Amino acid sequence: MFIGRRIDGPEHVDETHAYEETNIRSIERLGEIEEWLTYDIPRAIVGRAWGGKYRGQTQKWYALRFVGDQGEIDIAHPAGGHDPEFVEWRWEPIENLPTMIVPFKRPVYERVVHEFARFASGALIPGRERGKETRNP
């Protein structure tokens, strides 16, 4: 799973739970979760998260496989003139995600792992050059 650490965000409760997922351009679509998944922000931070305008989020999840070269990944210069959102990224085994995310988002990530783990089993992580691929643990 490709994960990125956000530059900042009021929904983060500590450094342990600062990583979130993202996608990239060179992908192959593998599947999706049919229904939309929802989480609520805890009352303690609802006034700070997203400027106090929202109390949660509803998301549509897709399983995608990165088929490009890792040199394509550029979090410092996002496309479309957007400001950078992430300060770092890495590949992480999908089964680790629920313990890495803030607790209030955990049920969504547990569902994502349950639905998409079949796509991650033995998946190749693309290297910068042909022949330098490694297998996901």
Side-chain angles (χ1 to χ4, degrees), residues 77-84:
H77 307 94
H82 295 283
D83 290 333

Short mmCIF file of all heavy atoms in Angstrom, two decimals, residues 77-84:
data_model
loop_
_atom_site.label_atom_id
_atom_site.label_comp_id
_atom_site.label_asym_id
_atom_site.label_seq_id
_atom_site.Cartn_x
_atom_site.Cartn_y
_atom_site.Cartn_z
N HIS A 77 5.87 18.30 -5.77
CA HIS A 77 5.32 19.08 -6.87
C HIS A 77 4.06 18.41 -7.43
O HIS A 77 4.08 17.85 -8.52
CB HIS A 77 6.36 19.23 -7.99
CG HIS A 77 7.66 19.76 -7.51
ND1 HIS A 77 8.71 18.94 -7.15
CD2 HIS A 77 8.07 21.03 -7.31
CE1 HIS A 77 9.72 19.70 -6.75
NE2 HIS A 77 9.37 20.96 -6.84
N PRO A 78 2.96 18.45 -6.66
CA PRO A 78 1.76 17.78 -7.14
C PRO A 78 1.22 18.41 -8.43
O PRO A 78 1.41 19.59 -8.67
CB PRO A 78 0.76 17.96 -5.99
CG PRO A 78 1.42 18.77 -4.95
CD PRO A 78 2.80 19.10 -5.40
N ALA A 79 0.55 17.59 -9.23
CA ALA A 79 -0.01 18.06 -10.50
C ALA A 79 -1.14 19.05 -10.25
O ALA A 79 -1.70 19.13 -9.17
CB ALA A 79 -0.52 16.86 -11.29
N GLY A 80 -1.45 19.81 -11.28
CA GLY A 80 -2.59 20.73 -11.23
C GLY A 80 -2.37 21.97 -10.40
O GLY A 80 -3.33 22.66 -10.05
N GLY A 81 -1.13 22.28 -10.07
CA GLY A 81 -0.84 23.48 -9.31
C GLY A 81 -1.24 23.42 -7.84
O GLY A 81 -1.29 24.45 -7.17
N HIS A 82 -1.53 22.24 -7.33
CA HIS A 82 -1.91 22.09 -5.93
C HIS A 82 -0.70 22.24 -5.02
O HIS A 82 0.42 21.92 -5.40
CB HIS A 82 -2.55 20.72 -5.69
CG HIS A 82 -3.84 20.53 -6.41
ND1 HIS A 82 -5.02 21.08 -5.98
CD2 HIS A 82 -4.13 19.88 -7.55
CE1 HIS A 82 -5.99 20.77 -6.82
NE2 HIS A 82 -5.47 20.04 -7.79
N ASP A 83 -0.94 22.73 -3.83
CA ASP A 83 0.12 22.79 -2.82
C ASP A 83 0.45 21.37 -2.37
O ASP A 83 -0.44 20.51 -2.33
CB ASP A 83 -0.32 23.62 -1.61
CG ASP A 83 -0.44 25.09 -1.92
OD1 ASP A 83 0.25 25.57 -2.85
OD2 ASP A 83 -1.24 25.77 -1.25
N PRO A 84 1.71 21.12 -2.00
CA PRO A 84 2.05 19.79 -1.49
C PRO A 84 1.22 19.44 -0.26
O PRO A 84 0.95 20.29 0.59
CB PRO A 84 3.53 19.92 -1.12
CG PRO A 84 4.03 21.06 -1.93
CD PRO A 84 2.86 22.01 -2.06
#
